[in-house]
Amino acid sequence: MYLNDVQLILGTDYTVSTTDDSVNILTTLAENDIVKIRDYSDTTGSFIPPTPTKLGLYPKFKPETFTDTTYITDTAVIRKHNGSIIKQYGDERDDLIMELEKRIYNNCKTTYDATLLDINDVMPSAFTSTEYTLQEVNDVMGSDFYVWAGRN
């Protein structure tokens, strides 16, 4: 769904009814705004390989641009659907990345459920320790990842 040629974000800017064919626009509309809804019956030609977030194995994050003040010099960045953060290029590539990330985010059909497994309870980081080392986590997941990477 687009508002004035800007892709909206599901759950933040609009919702889709689970009981009928309606859409509820949550963002404020003004006179002469143009809303475009594109509904595709088949998305085979636009396949994007599944990410852990898209599969519901990892939390999803709203794609956004912001200024990261944790750098020595404030830096414009993009937060992607999987939470990863990249530096903005300052040109049309930023718009393309945001368009792609919003499409992935809006099409995540499976929701991450931390009650089944909270990744933060297992995965150590620079700021959090767990009962496992990063090497132990990588050793357990590595063989499955390498099989998946070989097939894909």
Side-chain angles (χ1 to χ4, degrees), residues 17-118:
S17 173
T18 57
T19 58
D20 60 22
D21 293 334
S22 65
V23 174
N24 183 26
I25 299 174
L26 305 174
T27 191
T28 304
L29 297 176
E31 189 173 340
N32 296 322
D33 277 347
I34 299 171
V35 175
K36 293 180 186 175
I37 299 175
R38 296 182 178 158
D39 184 29
Y40 300 97
S41 59
D42 182 11
T43 58
T44 304
S46 62
F47 174 76
I48 296 173
T51 65
T53 299
K54 188 169 175 164
L55 295 171
L57 303 172
Y58 193 78
K60 81 176 181 176
F61 297 81
K62 183 179 117 182
E64 61 182 339
T65 59
F66 64 96
T67 301
D68 190 339
T69 59
T70 63
Y71 287 86
I72 292 172
T73 303
D74 292 355
T75 303
V77 297
I78 298 172
R79 175 174 288 123
K80 297 163 59 174
H81 77 280
N82 61 0
S84 63
I85 296 175
I86 61 170
K87 184 178 172 186
Q88 288 186 32
Y89 293 96
D91 58 25
E92 65 274 355
R93 290 176 286 186
D94 298 333
D95 296 333
L96 294 171
I97 291 168
M98 283 300 294
E99 178 75 16
L100 173 64
E101 289 299 320
K102 286 179 181 179
R103 287 182 184 206
I104 295 170
Y105 180 89
N106 287 341
N107 285 292
C108 288
K109 305 296 187 225
T110 307
T111 305
Y112 172 72
D113 185 354
T115 63
L116 298 174
L117 170 70
D118 187 348

Side-chain angles (χ1 to χ4, degrees), residues 135-152:
Q135 186 61 49
E136 289 172 323
V137 172
N138 288 340
D139 288 345
V140 169
M141 294 193 297
S143 60
D144 288 333
F145 172 77
Y146 296 129
V147 169
W148 173 85
R151 278 190 241 155
N152 294 287

